[in-house]
């Protein structure tokens, strides 16, 4: 009834305003969904890139650790007939130049620590520890793991 009292010009203006508001609402909804999809894509891309970078850094770091273990194997072969005090000096120099190892030790075939950095565990047996039982007994090689 109120609509009937309005003039034709007012009716057209009201209808136009309603259409404009409806169009704005529909466009706002569509844009918000597009922005949401774009944000999800950007977050996914960013996370994938971060994952790739972390994986690459880990691969390079592990390759460096493998080379260090190989270096330790070579040192072990050179020090097989060396006195424990001289071995300790060498592995302490090695530890000082490669700050990634908090402890480096050389064991005999029975698992007794012959030489170690800071003399830690020297003369003690680590034959019962996983570092020795899981790897050293099977391959007679070097192993890089946490001791504790």
């Amino acid at each position: 009834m109120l609509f009937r009292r309005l003039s034709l010009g007012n009716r057209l203006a009201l209808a136009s305003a309603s259409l404009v508001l409806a169009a704005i609402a529909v466009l706002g909804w569509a844009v918000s969904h597009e922005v949401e999809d774009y944000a999800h894509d950007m977050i996914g891309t960013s996370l994938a890139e971060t994952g790739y970078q972390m994986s690459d850094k880990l691969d390079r770091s592990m390759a460096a650790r493998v080379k260090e273990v190989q270096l330790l194997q070579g040192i072990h072969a050179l020090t097989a007939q060396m006195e424990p005090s001289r071995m300790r000096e060498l592995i302490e120099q090695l530890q000082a130049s490669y700050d990634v190892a908090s402890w480096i030790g050389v064991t005999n075939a029975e698992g007794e620590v012959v030489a170690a950095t800071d003399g830690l565990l020297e003369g003690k047996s680590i034959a019962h520890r996983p570092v020795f039982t899981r790897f050293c007994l099977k391959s007679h090689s070097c192993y890089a793991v946490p001791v504790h």
Side-chain angles (χ1 to χ4, degrees):
M1 289 189 212
L2 180 61
F3 192 69
R4 285 186 168 179
R5 288 190 212 167
L6 295 175
S7 67
L8 182 60
N10 287 340
R11 287 181 191 178
L12 286 175
L14 186 61
S16 297
S18 298
L19 284 175
V20 167
L21 286 176
I24 289 173
V26 168
L27 284 175
W29 177 81
V31 167
S32 71
H33 280 282
E34 280 297 314
V35 167
E36 183 181 358
D37 289 345
Y38 179 76
H40 279 99
D41 290 346
M42 291 304 296
I43 290 170
T45 301
S46 176
L47 287 174
E49 180 65 26
T50 301
Y52 172 77
Q53 289 174 359
M54 289 177 66
S55 171
D56 185 53
K57 285 180 184 180
L58 182 61
D59 284 346
R60 283 187 272 135
S61 178
M62 291 304 294
R65 300 298 84 78
V66 166
K67 288 180 182 180
E68 289 169 5
V69 168
Q70 290 170 342
L71 175 66
L72 288 172
Q73 287 175 330
I75 289 172
H76 181 66
L78 293 174
T79 61
Q81 302 301 320
M82 197 176 284
E83 290 185 30
S85 61
R86 180 69 182 128
M87 269 194 262
R88 185 181 325 105
E89 288 176 24
L90 285 174
I91 61 178
E92 284 179 351
Q93 288 174 1
L94 181 67
Q95 183 185 35
S97 64
Y98 293 102
D99 61 351
V100 295
S102 60
W103 181 85
I104 301 172
V106 177
T107 66
N108 60 19
E110 291 78 37
E112 180 183 342
V113 178
V114 177
T117 51
D118 299 324
L120 185 66
L121 297 175
E122 277 186 11
K124 297 200 169 52
S125 175
I126 63 166
H128 63 284
R129 295 188 184 207
V131 67
F132 190 80
T133 58
R134 287 189 188 157
F135 191 80
C136 292
L137 288 177
K138 294 177 185 171
S139 67
H140 305 290
S141 189
C142 286
Y143 194 41
V145 296
V147 175
H148 298 101

